[in-house]
Amino acid sequence: MSGATRIRLHHLTFVDEGDEVLVGRPDTEAYAVLPVDGADLLRQLQDHTIPEAVAWYEQAYQETPDIESFLDDLRELGFIHELDSDSDSDSDNNNDSDNASAPPPPPVRLHRLAKAVFSAPAWLLYTALATTAVAVLVTVPQVRPGPSRVFFAGTLWLVPFVLVAVEIPLIYLHEMFHVLAGRRLGAASRISIGHRLYFVVFQTTLTGIYSVPRRKRVFPFLAGMVSDILVFSALILFAAADRTDAGTPGLPGRIAIAAAYFTALRFLWQFLIFMETDVHHVLATVLGRTDLRGLTQTYLRSLLRPRAERPAMTERDRAVLRWFGPLTVACVTAAMAFGLYSLVRVLSTYTTQLTHGFGAGAGTGRFWDSTFSVFFVVGQFVLAGVLAARDRRARQKGLPQ
């Protein structure tokens, strides 16, 4: 690398973040936080030869940069597209196109759809939908979700299968709103499918949004919760439209109410900010801290040590923890309290129906329905335990899971 006179860089983005600059290559989602002088040197390398960039830096900062080490770091990050040596023809040395950065990547897919989904007319429609749903909840008590509404049918074993079939697409829609919000900004974003134990999970990668200013990164993290509000509103309105002459919802309406209840739980789940939920990422973005959970855990563990052995913390970290700690306690307490209340109510209703089913006598349809339901519920925990033990053994042996 010592013989290099100029470099050709990939398309890079520069986002000023106070005393630092976040430099990234969006197409590979590689990012690095550089001091201002390092970012300035990198900008010079985009349009000038290496000796010219070094000379500029020496004049601007009154010191000589370690250019060899700097170029090594750029290469490891994948920022360098080409590195030309002194053996190139002299006629190329003055060619600006050789020194310019590579052209920006093509527009992301679904960019137009993303702009339409979050356009002004769309927001007017979303507002009308949510407002109407609130009015229906106030005036039509038959469609209000609750723990007892989870059991929409008299057949117990049918309930979890139907709800899983309904909830999986709704969870995917939640993640898709994150993706579209990112692509609306022109940032790369995608959904991947994985599993936790035997549960299918969708995971959204939004690394591309670090190519835009921090204030524009907030909404992509909130977009999933917007989806939950819209889904909840649509389900309530559907249940209201499905009512019979007596005012009670039919089977499709009851399924919608049960799904709306779990959608509301999913919305509240986002406030468990110690679990890196949507709200956690919003707060981390606003505060400029990428690892709020790690910061909080470090602080809490330090309280168990003698004061002299506690790790040093910056004043900024202390300022964040002064209000983030109480906020975490408040959010987690509220979410856990509601979750515990819901669990108790659901288990109470489930136990009551089981009792009635077993009380109907052996051999009856309700008896076998209750029996199959118990095996299904217990079987889930047994399967989860077996898979967890298998994964633990695989980790211990270093095998793929």
Side-chain angles (χ1 to χ4, degrees):
M1 187 172 292
S2 59
T5 59
R6 61 179 180 271
I7 60 173
R8 180 176 171 84
L9 298 167
H10 287 278
H11 172 70
L12 302 176
T13 59
F14 295 79
V15 179
D16 293 330
E17 305 227 334
D19 297 334
E20 299 173 326
V21 179
L22 181 61
V23 182
R25 181 181 164 189
D27 59 328
T28 61
E29 299 178 3
Y31 293 88
V33 177
L34 300 181
V36 174
D37 63 324
D40 288 342
L41 177 59
L42 183 55
R43 287 188 176 103
Q44 290 295 315
L45 288 170
Q46 287 183 313
D47 302 315
H48 300 85
T49 65
I50 295 175
E52 289 172 343
V54 171
W56 176 89
Y57 186 95
E58 290 174 339
Q59 182 178 5
Y61 290 98
Q62 306 303 310
E63 62 178 312
T64 301
D66 186 353
I67 192 64
E68 292 291 336
S69 176
F70 189 66
L71 292 176
D72 285 340
D73 291 340
L74 295 180
R75 184 175 58 178
E76 290 182 7
L77 289 167
F79 288 177
I80 294 180
H81 183 270
E82 294 176 359
L83 191 146
D84 299 330
S85 65
D86 290 332
S87 61
D88 292 313
S89 61
D90 294 337
S91 60
D92 290 337
N93 288 340
N94 296 323
N95 190 336
D96 292 337
S97 64
D98 287 337
N99 294 322
S101 298
V108 295
R109 294 176 58 249
L110 304 179
H111 181 62
R112 291 184 178 180
L113 174 62
K115 293 184 67 175
V117 168
F118 299 111
S119 63
W123 281 112
L124 290 175
L125 178 62
Y126 300 159
T127 302
L129 180 68
T131 303
T132 305
V134 170
V136 169
L137 286 171
V138 172
T139 57
V140 186
Q142 294 92 336
V143 300
R144 295 173 188 168
S148 61
R149 299 291 183 89
V150 170
F151 301 95
F152 54 82
T155 306
L156 288 177
W157 67 266
L158 184 64
V159 172
F161 287 103
V162 172
L163 287 179
V164 166
V166 173
E167 285 297 315
I168 285 181
L170 298 183
I171 294 173
Y172 181 86
L173 182 62
H174 173 106
E175 301 300 330
M176 193 62 190
F177 260 59
H178 286 304
V179 169
L180 291 176
R183 295 191 178 184
R184 171 177 167 268
L185 301 175
S189 52
R190 63 184 183 275
I191 297 177
S192 59
I193 302 177
H195 73 91
R196 293 175 184 172
L197 296 177
Y198 61 92
F199 296 104
V200 175
V201 295
F202 301 101
Q203 299 169 324
T204 303
T205 301
L206 285 172
T207 313
I209 65 172
Y210 292 105
S211 296
V212 302
R214 186 185 302 171
R215 60 183 177 82
K216 292 185 178 181
R217 302 175 206 160
V218 173
F219 180 70
F221 289 122
L222 288 175
M225 298 176 72
V226 172
S227 168
D228 292 339
I229 294 174
L230 297 178
V231 166
F232 179 88
S233 301
L235 290 171
I236 293 301
L237 295 181
F238 177 83
D242 188 53
R243 286 180 299 158
T244 63
D245 294 337
T248 58
L251 178 60
R254 295 197 300 274
I255 294 175
I257 293 173
Y261 179 71
F262 282 104
T263 300
L265 289 181
R266 187 164 59 251
F267 182 87
L268 291 175
W269 175 271
Q270 306 305 327
F271 289 91
L272 296 177
I273 52 182
F274 68 95
M275 298 184 67
E276 297 188 3
T277 56
D278 294 352
V279 175
H280 171 275
H281 287 297
V282 169
L283 292 174
T285 300
V286 171
L287 297 172
R289 294 287 313 194
T290 57
D291 189 15
L292 279 176
R293 186 177 70 170
L295 174 64
T296 305
Q297 289 177 342
T298 300
Y299 172 72
L300 293 176
R301 290 170 181 167
S302 70
L303 297 179
L304 303 177
R305 302 178 181 178
R307 184 177 297 272
E309 298 179 7
R310 295 177 184 176
M313 302 187 69
T314 65
E315 184 57 36
R316 182 182 179 187
D317 288 343
R318 292 192 185 93
V320 169
L321 287 171
R322 272 195 288 269
W323 67 268
F324 182 74
L327 177 64
T328 300
V329 172
C331 289
V332 171
T333 299
M336 294 296 288
F338 186 82
L340 183 61
Y341 165 78
S342 300
L343 179 62
V344 171
R345 289 288 306 276
V346 168
L347 288 178
S348 175
T349 304
Y350 179 68
T351 302
T352 299
Q353 295 201 28
L354 280 181
T355 302
H356 291 163
F358 288 129
T364 63
R366 295 189 62 183
F367 174 86
W368 288 115
D369 175 49
S370 297
T371 301
F372 185 81
S373 175
V374 169
F375 276 108
F376 178 78
V377 173
V378 174
Q380 291 185 79
F381 290 102
V382 172
L383 179 59
V386 170
L387 292 177
R390 186 201 66 178
D391 291 344
R392 184 167 55 253
R393 288 195 299 270
R395 286 194 298 269
Q396 292 173 349
K397 295 180 180 180
L399 300 175
Q401 300 177 20

